Amino acid sequence: MLDEEPLVEALGRAQVPGDADGARAARDGLARLLEFAGEPDAELAAAWTAVSECDVPAPADVRNLAITLARRAAGDDRLLGALRSWLENRAPSGADSGHTNTIGGAVRIQGAAVQARDVHGGIHVHQAPTPRRPPTPRQLPPVTAHFAGREEDLRALDALRAGHPRSAPQLVVVSGPAGVGKTTLASWWLRRLTEDFPDGHLYADLGGHAPAGPADPLTVLDRFLRSLGVMAVPGDPAERVALWRSVTADLRLAVMLDNAYTAAQVRPLLPGTPGGLVVVTSRQRLTGLVVDGATVHQLGALDPGAALELLRRAGGGDRVTRDPQTARRVVGLCAFLPLAVSLAAAHLAARPRQPLSTVAAALARRHGPLEALRVEGEAAVRTALDESYGALPDGAARTYRRLGLLPVTHYDTPMVAASCALSPDDAERTLDLLIETNLLEDTGPDGHRFHDLVRLHAAQRGEAEETAEARRELTRRFVDWCLFTATAAEAILSPSHRDLARDYVHRPAVPVPFQDGGMALAWLDSHRQSLMAAVRSSVESGWDTTAWQLVDAMWPLFLRLRPTELWIEAHRIGLDAARRAGDRRAVGRMLTSGANGLRDAGRTEEAAEWYEEALRHAEEDGDVRQQAQALQGLGNARLRAGRPAEAEGFFVRALALREFIGYGRGAALSRLCLGEVALARGDHDRAAGLLSRAHTDLTAAGDTYDAARALAFLGHALACGGDTEGGERRLRQALADFEATGSRHWQARTLELLGQAALRAGDGERARQRFRRSLDLYRPLSPADTRRLEDRLRASRTADGPPNPLP
């Protein structure tokens, strides 16, 4: 039991008039008692609100709170004990002796109370009503009925849940770019787990990219605690976090923290329950939370089928079914981003008679979905990306928009460093930051790409914020880097070909990303589209000399990997550029190198026209070496056309010119071709003699690639001549050489020759194994070679006799 008057007197002594600190101390002391008061009723809540909303509470409000607590203490031993302990620390010994406590008038007392000494008047004592328990919080945002295409992601999250020990709290970060559907996925998943969390779902939007800035986690904690029935929330940050963890220690609770900005914003909101689950969604990767035990699920765009289903469900309806081709174009223009597809569907829903083709046309205009997809007049996709862009530091923002201006879709550190005039370390740090913010995707070892709509946004920012001079310099730096690096690869892979000039405006200071032939060829292969983009950009910018030099530097790519269509396109562009530049040597090189591509594509007559023009050109200039090159090409065109006698005449003339000028490597190549003619005629002994010498001379010249070609044909000649063991040994050695240099075309060709050798020896099963391996290599390289191998494979299943002598 506790009298009110001693309590009031103690408060009076604690609150000296004008003493703000004393008033706060009295309020804070009582605030600590609130946790003993149980679930608050309206009276107690009002009393606490009166003192908590002011920096310096009024003495009367503090006194009212104390009296309300005293009334609540009746029948509550915990609160009674806490109040008495507080009072003993405040009141002097014997403070209540001899004191008259009088209540008069029509006083209404809520709850049981004992009045010491005199009581007067009509006193009515009432039992306080039992306060209602606050409802179990279920705060997750509603989910759309059109949710589709995330089954694999839901399975991945379920696997994370199943594999996590129940003895430890679980923290999952769902990360992805703006508009990819992070909130919808997280809400949908948590709703499926409702039975696992009987104590509720808490939700907070942390405003990671809100105009007003990210939410204060302590403010979020205040809301969370009140949702769980805690009315007296401490003002001290550490006390508030501690109370949050104490309150949630035994709860089975799920918390969704949406649109988080940093790991530091999330940490104070992690509950203390081992049976709980926290799901964080963010445009950032929040890798800092991994230290706190988080697992990160990266969310990407929808697959095409799921995007079509979303378009149909959300508004496209039967129009998607009736016109699937246009529907696929619409979702493709939306880059399969859920937000963009949903907005396109909403547009269709609002216009039930509008055909899909109208939406597709709007999306295909210059600014595409960034401007066409609007909600109540606002370009929603662009706005979301603007928010992410606006949060970047200045240097990262500059790199972001400049990457959008480059004529490529994939980026690596050396390219970014050279194009944006950064050091490699600065470029790597910037790329890491763009990846962390989900504006850039990591595609492999030092490989990165933009989502299509993000790239469009970056390009728009670049066009708006970079000057014309800056944009031109950016393109020039990129082109020079491509030329510099391709030339370095050419010097390793085809040193004899590297004899024409190279001109730079901004010679790159970054090191080349390869040290040997295999790495150099792999670089050319992985950057073929970037190199072609540099060729086209050079022509568009009027840099004709750079355009043909780039094509010339790409020669090892064309020769060893045989991308015929790219080969032909590049040399058509290079030839025109060389003519505009007025460089006759360059014109001759483009003609012979380009004709090789036409010949390789089976367009032998057109190839012969290019070689003949190259021959006339060289004769006009008196360039004997180029004459021999053109004659060699004409011989190869005739040989490919099945006219070996004509081919032999051109090869003999080329050999004579090359020997006349002392060009030993060229003479060896002519002998190699004459060996092929002998093979075509079935003269295996003569072929073996020519090919053996060609192999020796090419090895001495350091031309390992062409030496391996000579060795492969030598093995074939020996096998055809009856020396099966000697032929197979040389073919296997040639295959190993081609594997070491990465030449997939010649790996396939050598496997084909090995298959023929096995078939000739009567081993049909081994032949078929080799043909299948050859076919797998040919498929992405050459349709014509693929068809030939398919024919060989079919024939090998029905007959084990001798194969055709040559492909």
Side-chain angles (χ1 to χ4, degrees):
M1 305 296 180
L2 188 68
D3 291 336
E4 294 174 8
E5 286 302 319
L7 187 62
V8 172
E9 287 185 10
L11 282 167
R13 288 189 292 273
Q15 298 184 98
V16 178
D19 181 5
D21 291 339
R24 293 192 193 98
R27 175 195 59 191
D28 294 345
L30 289 172
R32 283 189 286 273
L33 301 179
L34 285 172
E35 63 184 275
F36 298 99
E39 295 177 350
D41 56 16
E43 183 181 20
L44 181 56
W48 168 248
T49 300
V51 300
S52 64
E53 290 183 345
C54 302
D55 180 48
V56 181
D61 290 335
V62 177
R63 190 161 52 248
N64 182 55
L65 175 61
I67 292 170
T68 305
L69 280 168
R71 290 171 180 165
R72 285 290 298 267
D76 188 335
D77 292 339
R78 290 180 70 236
L79 179 56
L80 182 62
L83 275 166
R84 280 178 169 164
S85 175
W86 185 86
L87 181 58
E88 287 171 3
N89 291 329
R90 290 287 182 180
S93 179
D96 55 350
S97 60
H99 181 78
T100 299
N101 189 359
T102 302
I103 296 178
V107 176
R108 182 182 181 91
I109 301 174
Q110 293 286 350
V114 174
Q115 173 66 42
R117 301 291 301 271
D118 302 330
V119 177
H120 302 283
I123 308 301
H124 300 275
V125 179
H126 299 270
Q127 182 67 37
T130 302
R132 295 180 59 187
R133 176 183 175 85
T136 300
R138 296 294 180 190
Q139 301 175 352
L140 296 177
V143 294
T144 173
H146 312 309
F147 182 76
R150 291 301 188 189
E151 290 77 11
E152 185 176 341
D153 293 288
L154 289 170
R155 283 194 295 270
L157 292 172
D158 285 340
L160 290 177
R161 178 76 179 148
H164 189 80
R166 290 295 187 263
S167 59
Q170 186 170 16
L171 176 58
V172 175
V173 177
V174 178
S175 179
V180 81
K182 302 178 292 295
T183 300
T184 300
L185 175 68
S187 297
W188 191 275
W189 184 52
L190 286 174
R191 286 177 183 278
R192 297 202 320 179
L193 303 176
T194 295
E195 292 184 0
D196 290 353
F197 304 107
D199 295 312
H201 295 130
L202 294 176
Y203 171 85
D205 184 351
L206 299 186
H209 295 85
D216 179 2
L218 293 177
T219 302
V220 174
L221 271 187
D222 184 271
R223 294 204 308 270
F224 280 179
L225 286 166
R226 292 179 186 278
S227 297
L228 296 175
V230 178
M231 298 303 297
V233 179
D236 180 75
E239 289 185 11
R240 190 174 298 187
V241 173
L243 179 60
W244 161 245
R245 291 174 182 165
S246 298
V247 168
T248 57
D250 297 319
L251 299 181
R252 293 169 63 190
L253 189 70
V255 179
M256 180 173 166
L257 303 175
D258 199 15
N259 199 17
Y261 191 59
T262 64
Q265 188 188 25
V266 170
R267 288 192 181 101
L269 302 174
L270 300 180
T273 172
L277 170 63
V278 178
V279 178
V280 181
T281 73
S282 180
R283 298 183 195 179
Q284 322 289 112
R285 297 212 174 183
L286 299 185
T287 50
L289 287 179
V290 175
V291 178
D292 299 273
T295 52
V296 179
H297 179 75
Q298 191 68 25
L299 191 61
L302 294 170
D303 64 57
L308 284 170
E309 180 63 13
L310 177 59
L311 184 68
R312 185 188 67 79
R313 288 188 190 180
D318 291 342
R319 284 171 285 185
V320 174
T321 307
R322 292 195 304 267
D323 191 357
Q325 182 175 354
T326 304
R328 284 191 291 271
R329 184 165 181 244
V330 168
V331 297
L333 288 165
C334 291
F336 312 110
L337 191 71
L339 173 61
V341 175
S342 296
L343 291 172
H347 179 94
L348 288 166
R351 299 162 179 81
R353 295 182 180 84
Q354 188 175 80
L356 283 171
S357 57
T358 302
V359 177
L363 294 174
R365 294 191 188 109
R366 183 168 179 265
H367 292 300
L370 295 186
E371 295 299 331
L373 298 176
R374 293 177 172 267
V375 178
E376 297 179 353
E378 180 181 5
V381 178
R382 178 178 55 75
T383 299
L385 292 171
D386 280 345
E387 291 171 352
S388 296
Y389 172 70
L392 292 173
D394 289 344
R398 181 169 53 254
T399 300
Y400 169 81
R401 61 181 180 260
R402 287 184 173 181
L403 293 185
L405 293 171
L406 290 178
V408 295
T409 58
H410 289 74
Y411 315 90
D412 56 34
T413 300
M415 177 195 294
V416 174
S419 302
C420 299
L422 299 171
S423 71
D425 288 345
D426 286 343
E428 187 169 2
R429 281 191 290 269
T430 302
L431 291 172
D432 286 344
L433 177 59
L434 294 176
I435 290 170
E436 181 68 23
T437 56
N438 278 307
L439 288 170
L440 197 65
E441 299 174 9
D442 187 352
T443 60
D446 199 28
H448 314 90
R449 69 178 294 274
F450 280 132
H451 182 276
D452 290 347
L453 295 187
V454 177
R455 181 170 176 266
L456 179 59
H457 178 265
Q460 288 186 6
R461 299 301 347 126
E463 290 169 2
E465 299 180 44
E466 296 288 331
T467 65
E469 182 181 354
R471 294 198 297 270
R472 185 174 177 84
E473 180 183 333
L474 174 74
T475 303
R476 182 74 231 193
R477 287 183 180 276
F478 164 72
V479 165
D480 280 346
W481 174 76
C482 288
L483 178 60
F484 176 80
T485 314
T487 298
E490 178 194 27
I492 294 173
L493 294 165
S494 301
S496 62
H497 187 268
R498 170 67 185 94
D499 60 354
L500 296 182
R502 299 289 185 260
D503 301 304
Y504 305 98
V505 175
H506 301 286
R507 187 182 181 90
V510 297
V512 296
F514 43 77
Q515 290 78 45
D516 57 38
M519 294 174 67
L521 188 61
W523 183 89
L524 287 170
D525 187 16
S526 63
H527 287 75
R528 61 172 72 183
Q529 297 302 331
S530 297
L531 292 168
M532 277 305 299
V535 171
R536 298 185 190 104
S537 294
S538 296
V539 171
E540 291 169 4
S541 299
W543 305 325
D544 288 324
T545 296
T546 303
W548 73 253
Q549 288 180 357
L550 274 163
V551 175
D552 191 51
M554 293 165 67
W555 173 247
L557 168 69
F558 303 133
L559 179 66
R560 301 197 183 197
L561 301 182
R562 309 295 175 109
T564 51
E565 294 306 315
L566 198 69
W567 190 344
I568 294 167
E569 179 193 0
H571 281 82
R572 289 193 191 282
I573 295 173
L575 178 59
D576 289 342
R579 283 172 171 158
R580 286 193 299 270
D583 191 317
R584 291 188 62 82
R585 287 195 67 199
V587 169
R589 177 66 64 82
M590 291 297 102
L591 284 167
T592 53
S593 298
N596 289 342
L598 290 164
R599 183 199 70 213
D600 201 67
R603 293 152 67 169
T604 54
E605 291 306 314
E606 190 175 1
E609 292 173 5
W610 281 49
Y611 286 129
E612 287 165 358
E613 183 178 351
L615 180 60
R616 291 192 299 271
H617 190 85
E619 288 172 343
E620 290 171 5
D621 291 346
D623 189 334
V624 176
R625 183 162 170 159
Q626 279 296 97
Q627 291 174 43
Q629 184 75 9
L631 289 166
Q632 183 92 352
L634 283 165
N636 276 312
R638 296 294 188 272
L639 184 62
R640 179 62 65 91
R643 294 147 67 180
E646 291 181 42
E648 185 174 27
F650 286 118
F651 291 142
V652 168
R653 290 171 62 189
L655 176 61
L657 288 177
R658 285 169 166 174
E659 288 185 324
F660 174 74
I661 62 175
Y663 181 24
R665 175 181 168 275
L669 289 172
S670 295
R671 289 191 179 89
L672 191 160
C673 292
L674 286 167
E676 288 188 72
V677 171
L679 276 171
R681 289 176 165 176
D683 190 347
H684 303 130
D685 290 339
R686 183 169 186 269
L690 287 164
L691 293 166
S692 179
R693 180 173 176 185
H695 176 256
T696 299
D697 292 347
L698 289 167
T699 301
D703 186 348
T704 55
Y705 170 79
D706 287 312
R709 288 178 57 229
L711 187 63
F713 283 129
L714 175 59
H716 184 60
L718 292 173
C720 289
D723 185 1
T724 303
E725 181 180 350
E728 284 231 2
R729 185 173 67 253
R730 287 167 174 81
L731 283 166
R732 286 194 297 270
Q733 181 58 53
L735 178 61
D737 291 343
F738 290 128
E739 288 173 340
T741 60
S743 177
R744 291 192 292 273
H745 172 84
W746 275 97
Q747 290 174 46
R749 184 78 178 273
T750 307
L751 282 165
E752 182 180 5
L753 296 177
L754 279 165
Q756 291 178 272
L759 198 60
R760 187 176 291 102
D763 192 342
E765 181 55 35
R766 178 175 292 186
R768 285 184 284 276
Q769 290 175 1
R770 290 169 172 176
F771 288 153
R772 280 191 288 269
R773 288 177 61 193
S774 176
L775 180 60
D776 289 342
L777 288 166
Y778 269 137
R779 283 192 197 280
L781 299 176
S782 168
D785 290 323
T786 297
R787 288 191 294 271
R788 186 182 68 251
L789 259 294
E790 288 172 342
D791 291 342
R792 283 202 188 280
L793 193 56
R794 279 192 294 269
S796 71
R797 295 191 184 105
T798 58
D800 288 342
N804 295 330
L806 270 177

